[in-house]
Amino acid sequence: MMRCGVIGLGDMGSGLAKNLVKAGFPTSGFDLIPARTAALADLGGTPMQNGAEVGAASDVVYVMVMTGAEVRDVILGKGGLLETMAPGGTVILTATIKPADAREIGAALNGTGLRMIDSPVSGGYPGAQGGTLTMMAAGAPDLLDACAPVMEAVSANIHRVGEVIGEGQTVKACLQSLLGAMFSATFEAAALAAKAGVPGQVILDVFSTSSGGCGVVNNALEKIIDRQFEGTGSHINTMHKDLTISMALGEELGVPLHTAAAAMQIFTAGRTKYPNGDNWICTRVIEEIVGAELHRKAAK
């Protein structure tokens, strides 16, 4: 049985740990926020004092932190996984970072005895907690085969998108450019309905059964009409960061991303006005401009 570790135990990482434990894998973990680390014990895992202890206790470590700089420090920094994991260990990078950063980190591991799978995920908080994430996995075929059990424990869909580190992050950047545009269009449509006096339930019923209905739109509308703008597991900082990665990739490749750029500005406005909010908080910024709010029931 492979020993697993998770570094970064927030909304996403805690779900990874939960489902690894559920699948029977001995799982340790660490987060910079002590309460998150301590909560791992309630899930059946083993809290560690730092990432170095996680590395020393694990054959496979999931890295689910926020930025490329944090990933670099966790893997290559002092006391990082490169120093503490035994030769033959595997790092599964599930954080979303710039493809170029993933390539550099992967290159630094060449010849060290430590191997890496580049596999950002999609599915958000529900997918992480429910073990139904979609993984965009890039890595050597034999390594993907060997790690299939620990990946299947957290994912319902594992797509092998390439063999080169960075290719997983590239696919994720393309996906986020689409999701950002879908979110932003939903926020604008919600504000339009609010100003027109249409009840939120009507909009949800129609949108969810129309050609425009999908999980992204339906979930966003549910949160908007119930005014659930914080604590839903989809913090605005994450999507904002992901859009900066998509935009940077577009700039690098010379691809104009008009709708993603508009989404970037909407998320920037939401993040500036409501830094503690979730993605749906962007709707409030637009609502404040037009002077109307979308609720499940129309105001009497």
Side-chain angles (χ1 to χ4, degrees):
M1 182 68 69
M2 285 184 283
R3 301 170 303 157
C4 296
V6 180
I7 296 180
L9 295 168
D11 291 331
M12 301 296 290
S14 63
L16 296 178
K18 169 187 171 182
N19 286 293
L20 288 167
V21 170
K22 183 178 179 181
F25 293 102
T27 302
S28 61
F30 171 73
D31 193 282
L32 289 174
I33 298 176
R36 292 178 177 176
T37 302
L40 180 59
D42 296 331
L43 299 176
T46 303
M48 294 297 192
Q49 295 298 312
N50 49 54
E53 291 187 358
V54 175
S58 304
D59 304 306
V60 177
V61 175
Y62 279 94
V63 177
M64 185 59 97
V65 293
M66 188 69 169
T67 68
E70 291 173 342
V71 171
R72 189 183 304 275
D73 185 58
V74 165
I75 299 175
L76 304 178
K78 183 177 176 57
L81 298 178
L82 179 57
E83 293 184 358
T84 60
M85 290 188 77
T90 301
V91 176
I92 303 181
L93 174 59
T94 47
T96 299
I97 64 175
K98 292 180 179 179
D101 288 343
R103 288 193 295 269
E104 290 177 7
I105 294 167
L109 294 180
N110 287 339
T112 65
L114 198 64
R115 304 180 76 186
M116 179 172 163
I117 295 173
D118 171 28
S119 186
V121 300
S122 182
Y125 179 76
Q129 297 296 319
T132 60
L133 291 168
T134 290
M135 304 187 82
M136 292 151 263
D142 68 306
L143 185 59
L144 291 172
D145 290 342
C147 291
V150 297
M151 297 173 73
E152 290 168 355
V154 303
S155 174
N157 297 284
I158 302 171
H159 298 283
R160 296 192 178 191
V161 301
E163 298 183 14
V164 178
I165 300 302
E167 291 180 335
Q169 299 296 335
T170 298
V171 174
K172 179 65 182 289
C174 295
L175 175 62
Q176 295 307 88
S177 71
L178 172 63
L179 291 181
M182 292 173 68
F183 278 136
S184 297
T186 304
F187 304 154
E188 291 181 340
L192 180 63
K195 187 65 174 180
V198 182
Q201 186 65 57
V202 170
I203 291 297
L204 177 61
D205 290 344
V206 171
F207 282 19
S208 64
T209 57
S210 74
S211 56
C214 65
V216 171
V217 171
N218 300 347
N219 180 58
L221 279 173
E222 287 272 11
K223 299 298 188 296
I224 292 165
I225 66 178
D226 286 335
R227 318 307 289 174
Q228 295 178 359
F229 294 127
E230 293 186 15
T232 66
S234 298
H235 198 281
I236 194 170
N237 280 347
T238 301
M239 191 65 201
H240 182 273
K241 181 261 296 183
D242 289 356
L243 280 170
T244 65
I245 293 171
S246 299
M247 295 303 298
L249 183 61
E251 180 70 19
E252 176 186 334
L253 299 177
V255 178
L257 300 176
H258 301 293
T259 54
M264 182 83 234
Q265 295 307 310
I266 290 173
F267 274 87
T268 297
R271 182 171 176 258
T272 299
K273 184 69 182 290
Y274 296 106
N276 296 318
D278 291 343
N279 292 332
W280 348 108
I281 202 75
C282 296
T283 308
R284 289 191 64 183
V285 177
I286 305 173
E287 289 177 339
E288 289 165 3
I289 294 172
V290 303
E293 295 182 352
L294 189 67
H295 292 256
R296 188 175 286 273
K297 296 181 179 180
K300 295 180 179 180

